[in-house]
Amino acid sequence: MLSRLTRPRALAVCALPLVALFATVGLAPLPFSVAQPGMTANVLGENRGTPVITISGAPTRDTTGQLRMTTIEATGPDADITLADVIDGWFRTDQAVMPRDSVYPAGDSTKEIERYNTEQMEESQDTATEAALRYLDRTDDGIEVTLKLADVGGPSAGLLFSLGIIDRLDGDGSGGDLTGGRTIAGTGTIDADGKVGAVGGVALKTQAARRDGATVFLVPKAECSDAKSELPEGLRLIPVSTLKGAVSALTALEKGDGSVPSC
């Protein structure tokens, strides 16, 4: 025969499984990654003592100012992210919590992911070179471009690579620099036809850009609202959808004439 529980005791007994469940969830690893602002690199300069852009087969220009590609840093694919980590990251402006599958290919090992990101970077460099030479109408001039950037993977530096090549070869087209002497940062993929694609993580990348001295940030037009969500003070957003549009916007900004788009 079962004895009858009082209401307080019954509630206490029922609560025990819930407490155990929350304790388990709080300690169990979750399928998320936590990202934060990463390094930036001036594609017009050097990275670890090696020029990022090396051009042969054509005269190149000395440039002023900087074109800084931006990155985010995310916890590794094998990292254990707990509920406490997710809650902490959710309320911070300098971190973002993202599904792990949106950062890393599902089911791949760490080495496979590193190989994939390296391949994406190499493909992006080739495409950025083709887009830049097409823009300048110099695809048949025998120009060879080498791009080197250590410890960075993925395709999101494509736009900045293309702009760096154009600045080194042609500047603004009339003797000036695309940067106008400014520190300009940005992000965005590029295809061979010069179309700029979205990349994700722009709210963190704007923070990295401002931290490293940028006053202007080129953002894929589709990600304007994301970039504005945590925009650092003193950083101007310029939305771009094509390489030609990015060059035109920078030229207008440098010369102080024409209309410079804004988010």
Side-chain angles (χ1 to χ4, degrees):
M1 189 170 103
L2 297 175
S3 62
R4 189 174 179 183
L5 296 177
T6 63
R7 181 179 177 83
R9 290 184 64 189
L11 290 175
V13 170
C14 292
L16 287 175
L18 290 177
V19 171
L21 175 62
F22 283 122
T24 301
V25 170
L27 296 174
L30 299 175
F32 294 102
S33 287
V34 180
Q36 62 186 15
M39 56 84 74
T40 73
N42 176 25
V43 302
L44 295 174
E46 295 185 347
N47 177 241
R48 296 193 176 181
T50 301
V52 176
I53 300 175
T54 303
I55 300 174
S56 60
T60 58
R61 308 173 57 257
D62 291 329
T63 59
T64 62
Q66 299 182 22
L67 286 170
R68 301 196 75 88
M69 57 78 64
T70 55
T71 68
I72 61 173
E73 295 177 356
T75 51
D78 298 327
D80 289 339
I81 304 301
T82 66
L83 180 60
D85 297 321
V86 172
I87 293 173
D88 181 55
W90 189 266
F91 290 100
R92 291 177 58 169
T93 60
D94 61 342
Q95 288 187 350
V97 178
M98 299 180 288
R100 186 174 297 167
D101 289 352
S102 71
V103 180
Y104 301 106
D108 290 344
S109 68
T110 300
K111 288 186 177 180
E112 288 172 332
I113 290 170
E114 291 175 352
R115 188 183 309 116
Y116 174 80
N117 284 335
T118 299
E119 290 172 353
Q120 287 279 293
M121 171 60 82
E122 291 173 351
E123 182 179 343
S124 172
Q125 292 172 341
D126 293 341
T127 305
T129 299
E130 184 176 357
L133 295 181
R134 279 191 184 184
Y135 172 82
L136 295 172
D137 196 22
R138 301 188 67 174
T139 55
D140 297 324
D141 289 357
I143 299 173
E144 294 187 5
V145 179
T146 301
L147 301 171
K148 291 186 177 181
L149 195 57
D151 298 330
V152 177
S156 66
L159 171 63
L160 272 294
F161 283 142
S162 291
L163 291 172
I165 294 167
I166 292 170
D167 204 16
R168 291 290 309 281
L169 287 171
D170 195 55
D172 64 0
S174 58
D177 295 312
L178 279 182
T179 63
R182 298 177 176 85
T183 296
I184 293 172
T187 191
T189 64
I190 197 86
D191 68 17
D193 295 323
K195 183 179 179 180
V196 176
V199 293
V202 293
L204 298 177
K205 291 179 179 181
T206 58
Q207 294 179 50
R210 191 69 186 108
R211 178 199 66 206
D212 291 352
T215 56
V216 175
F217 191 90
L218 302 175
V219 60
K221 188 174 182 179
E223 296 182 293
C224 263
S225 60
D226 290 342
K228 290 170 65 176
S229 64
E230 300 292 345
L231 186 65
E233 185 177 353
L235 189 65
R236 177 177 183 175
L237 292 178
I238 297 181
V240 295
S241 55
T242 65
L243 178 58
K244 181 178 180 180
V247 173
S248 296
L250 291 180
T251 301
L253 184 66
E254 179 226 344
K255 295 182 181 298
D257 56 18
S259 176
V260 180
S262 61
C263 287

